[in-house]
């Protein structure tokens, strides 16, 4: 009972204490959480579909689908058209769901560029199918979530990537400083349907729900006007797919817990923490075999490795070395930030400085909301300085001629000789952006008045 009480306290601390609390709670309760595991949920009753179709659940699902927005599926219906469609056609849709005869439409194939190169294939269901999946998700998640591992953080209510990163940091601080970084090759495209449905059937008795989930898996994909069958995978893009992925990977969590490993998993991103490189290589080999044999999946050997904290990127972060590792923003994440800022602050854009800062601020606020969790403040200060320098370049380029530049500098209080010297300089905008004249004309406080957020400040 004491272990169970510690586990509950750990979970509450994650929910209530935020970023700092996540790390403190994990430090205090790691051993208890590793020792205790909620039992697998019993099979849900034969009238689960009626619970899915309850009015309050449907209203909540509709609000969620509308708030998520998203593009239309193959029928072209938008989320804003969905309420009107439901008002007119819901009774027929409901009857088909109750009778177990509902047929989802194929998903629309969409490709988006991946940060590391290549493309990620998404399958966008129609908004009606997204609505039904969301209603189903809300009920299934209510029954299943408590049965998942304490070390699983992806796509779960009241759990976050920051909590996962904090847990990883604590494992490193405890001396488990070698990381078995496991990358599953095309995970969402290769989940075995029969294996997945076998696991779902252990948890659900209502045959209509089982048939509906199978129908969503087999709905097919429309690409270039042609529909092709799907025999494996859970297409990314629908609300139900993340929950189904957790059902599959729960077997991996249980195996890692059975072996007594320290690990953190966020969706298909799984890291195991060990004390030596030799132990890491042994774990990598045994887990690769387990994943192939039991999950019918393949470990991507090119992207999987046994590495040390500063060599590994986990959810956009890596870690410093030493007994008290710090969270740092991964180099790839910083480079993506810089690439986006370069596009927003191109000197050839026909956009005023004030509008450019407004667009930049919108992006930076979101970026800071996630990567502000890092603990290397000097990196953020350098980024702040680099961003302001980019904006000074923009202003200098927009002034164009020497006379205009001289007049603008004088209007901003730069002394006459310095303004003349700077306006007549043969150097390019990037070098001029560091000059005393530009720094005086556009001090840090000026950009603050335009609404430019600082990445380094709280």
């Amino acid at each position: 009972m004491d272990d169970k009480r510690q586990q509950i306290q750990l979970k509450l601390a994650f929910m209530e204490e935020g970023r700092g609390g996540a790390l403190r709670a994990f430090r205090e309760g790691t051993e208890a959480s590793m020792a205790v595991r909620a039992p697998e949920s019993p099979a849900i009753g034969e009238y689960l579909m009626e619970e899915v179709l309850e009015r309050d659940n449907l209203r909540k699902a509709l609000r969620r689908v509308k708030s998520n927005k998203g593009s239309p599926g193959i029928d072209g219906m938008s989320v804003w058209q969905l309420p009107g469609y439901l008002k007119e056609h819901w009774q027929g849709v409901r009857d088909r769901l109750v009778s177990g005869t509902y047929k989802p439409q194929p998903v629309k194939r969409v490709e988006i560029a991946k940060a590391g190169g290549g493309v990620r294939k998404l399958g966008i269901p129609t908004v009606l199918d997204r609505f039904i999946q969301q209603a189903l998700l809300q009920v299934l998640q209510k029954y299943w979530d408590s049965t998942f591992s304490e070390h699983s953080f992806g796509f779960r209510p009241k759990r976050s990537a920051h909590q996962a990163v904090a847990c990883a940091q604590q494992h490193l601080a405890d001396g488990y400083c070698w990381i078995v970084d496991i990358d599953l090759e095309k995970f969402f495209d290769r989940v075995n349907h029969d294996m997945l449905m076998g696991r779902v059937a252990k948890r659900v008795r209502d045959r209509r729900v089982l048939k509906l989930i199978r129908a969503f898996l087999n709905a097919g994909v429309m690409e270039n006007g042609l529909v092709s069958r799907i025999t494996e995978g859970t297409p990314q893009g629908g609300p139900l797919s993340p929950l189904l992925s957790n059902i599959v990977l729960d077997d991996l969590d249980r195996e890692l817990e059975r072996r007594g490993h320290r690990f953190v998993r966020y969706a298909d991103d799984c890291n195991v923490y060990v004390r030596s490189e030799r132990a890491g290589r042994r774990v990598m080999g045994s887990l690769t075999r387990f994943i192939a044999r039991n999950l019918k999946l393949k470990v991507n050997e090119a992207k999987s490795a046994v590495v040390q904290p500063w060599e590994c990127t986990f959810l956009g972060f890596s870690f410093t070395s030493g007994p008290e590792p710090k969270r740092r923003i991964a180099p790839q994440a910083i480079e993506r930030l810089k690439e986006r800022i370069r596009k927003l602050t191109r000197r050839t854009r026909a956009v005023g400085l004030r509008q450019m800062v407004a667009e930049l601020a919108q992006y930076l606020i979101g970026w800071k909301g996630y990567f502000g969790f890092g603990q290397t403040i000097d990196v953020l200060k350098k980024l702040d300085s680099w961003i302001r320098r980019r904006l000074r370049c923009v202003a200098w380029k927009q002034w164009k001629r020497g006379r205009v530049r001289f007049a603008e500098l004088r209007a901003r209080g730069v002394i006459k000789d310095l303004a003349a010297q700077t306006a007549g300089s043969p150097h390019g905008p990037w070098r001029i952006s560091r000059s005393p004249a530009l720094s005086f004309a556009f001090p840090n406080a000026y950009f603050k008045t335009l609404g430019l957020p600082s990445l380094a400040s709280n």
Side-chain angles (χ1 to χ4, degrees):
M1 289 299 293
D2 289 341
D3 285 346
K4 191 169 184 179
R5 189 178 297 109
Q6 282 182 286
Q7 185 187 16
I8 294 170
Q9 289 172 349
L10 170 66
K11 193 168 184 179
L12 290 173
F14 273 129
M15 293 163 55
E16 295 173 0
E17 294 189 32
R19 296 176 180 175
L23 183 55
R24 289 194 301 274
F26 193 79
R27 184 179 293 118
E28 295 166 0
T30 298
E31 296 303 326
S33 68
M34 289 181 70
V36 179
R37 176 66 191 270
E40 185 171 327
S41 64
I44 306 168
E46 297 178 2
Y47 298 98
L48 181 63
M49 183 64 77
E50 280 70 23
E51 189 172 349
V52 171
L53 299 175
E54 285 181 358
R55 185 179 295 272
D56 287 345
N57 188 55
L58 294 174
R59 284 175 174 168
K60 182 181 176 183
L62 182 58
R63 285 197 302 269
R64 187 59 181 267
V65 169
K66 289 172 68 176
S67 67
N68 287 343
K69 299 179 181 178
S71 59
I74 63 170
D75 61 356
M77 186 191 302
S78 72
V79 293
W80 311 117
Q81 294 172 306
L82 179 59
Y85 178 88
L86 292 175
K87 189 175 291 186
E88 185 175 352
H89 300 284
W90 174 244
Q91 188 57 54
V93 173
R94 188 184 189 284
D95 289 345
R96 292 194 296 277
L97 288 168
V98 170
S99 64
T101 59
Y102 182 82
K103 300 290 185 185
Q105 295 190 66
V107 299
K108 182 171 71 174
R109 175 69 78 208
V110 176
E111 293 183 349
I112 60 172
K114 296 171 69 173
V119 295
R120 175 177 286 109
K121 293 183 177 182
L122 299 183
I124 308 300
T126 65
V127 292
L128 176 61
D129 286 339
R130 294 210 296 268
F131 166 66
I132 294 169
Q133 284 193 34
Q134 181 63 37
L136 185 57
L137 167 69
Q138 289 164 183
V139 173
L140 295 179
Q141 197 166 55
K142 177 177 66 176
Y143 289 108
W144 292 353
D145 188 71
S146 63
T147 71
F148 292 148
S149 171
E150 284 294 312
H151 308 278
S152 166
F153 294 88
F155 308 118
R156 296 182 61 188
K158 299 178 181 178
R159 286 179 162 255
S160 70
H162 286 170
Q163 291 174 351
V165 172
C167 289
Q169 183 179 10
Q170 186 57 48
H171 290 320
L172 297 172
D174 288 342
Y176 295 80
C177 54
W178 283 89
I179 303 171
V180 182
D181 185 11
I182 301 171
D183 183 272
L184 298 178
E185 189 172 286
K186 297 182 179 179
F187 168 71
F188 285 94
D189 296 331
R190 293 188 173 171
V191 171
N192 182 283
H193 286 180
D194 291 336
M195 183 196 69
L196 170 57
M197 289 307 303
R199 285 157 174 75
V200 173
K202 292 179 181 178
R203 297 169 177 254
V204 173
R205 286 201 188 100
D206 192 325
R207 293 182 178 276
R208 297 166 300 176
V209 171
L210 293 173
K211 187 176 179 181
L212 180 61
I213 294 174
R214 172 75 80 166
F216 279 125
L217 292 174
N218 295 339
V221 172
M222 177 175 282
E223 194 170 11
N224 299 322
L226 299 175
V227 176
S228 55
R229 290 184 62 227
I230 296 178
T231 57
E232 61 180 3
T234 60
Q236 296 181 73
L240 201 54
S241 182
L243 180 64
L244 297 179
S245 72
N246 275 333
I247 286 289
V248 173
L249 293 176
D250 188 58
D251 281 17
L252 175 60
D253 297 341
R254 290 180 182 275
E255 178 65 14
L256 290 169
E257 288 175 343
R258 187 187 67 79
R259 298 183 185 188
H261 285 311
R262 298 214 179 192
F263 71 98
V264 179
R265 183 175 67 79
Y266 192 96
D268 59 332
D269 198 347
C270 182
N271 284 354
V272 183
Y273 300 85
V274 296
R275 291 189 181 274
S276 69
E277 183 178 12
R278 183 178 178 182
R281 296 197 180 283
R282 186 172 63 250
V283 169
M284 176 68 82
S286 64
L287 287 181
T288 298
R289 292 189 294 272
F290 173 84
I291 289 168
R293 182 179 65 251
N294 294 67
L295 304 183
K296 311 301 182 187
L297 296 169
K298 184 178 180 182
V299 171
N300 187 331
E301 295 183 5
K303 295 183 178 180
S304 300
V306 178
V307 294
Q308 293 194 285
W310 55 90
E311 301 174 296
C312 178
T313 298
F314 182 56
L315 302 176
F317 293 92
S318 60
F319 301 92
T320 61
S321 59
E324 295 186 4
K326 291 185 177 181
R327 301 182 295 271
R328 68 179 188 180
I329 304 167
Q332 302 94 315
I334 292 176
E335 188 51 44
R336 287 196 296 271
L337 168 72
K338 285 189 169 184
E339 185 60 31
R340 181 66 181 272
I341 291 172
R342 289 187 187 103
K343 290 180 180 179
L344 291 172
T345 59
R346 289 195 311 272
R347 297 194 291 271
T348 55
R349 288 188 69 196
V351 174
L353 192 62
R354 187 175 295 274
Q355 181 181 338
M356 186 175 288
V357 169
E359 294 175 4
L360 190 59
Q362 187 176 8
Y363 173 70
L364 291 177
I365 289 170
W367 190 91
K368 181 181 178 180
Y370 184 78
F371 287 104
F373 191 55
Q375 295 175 307
T376 48
I377 192 70
D378 288 345
V379 172
L380 297 179
K381 288 180 178 178
K382 289 179 181 178
L383 285 171
D384 278 338
S385 178
W386 180 78
I387 292 167
R388 290 190 294 264
R389 191 174 174 188
R390 293 278 309 179
L391 292 170
R392 291 184 183 110
C393 278
V394 170
W396 187 250
K397 184 72 174 179
Q398 289 180 344
W399 288 343
K400 295 183 179 179
R401 295 185 178 85
R403 288 183 180 179
V404 175
R405 289 170 174 171
F406 175 77
E408 291 286 358
L409 290 173
R410 290 290 290 141
R412 285 165 172 75
V414 179
I415 60 174
K416 185 176 181 180
D417 289 348
L418 183 58
Q421 179 185 352
T422 306
S425 172
H427 297 304
W430 185 245
R431 183 164 176 178
I432 290 293
S433 67
R434 294 188 66 182
S435 68
L438 262 289
S439 297
F440 186 89
F442 296 103
N444 296 353
Y446 171 76
F447 293 113
K448 188 175 181 180
T449 63
L450 293 183
L452 181 71
S454 169
L455 298 178
S457 64
N458 293 326

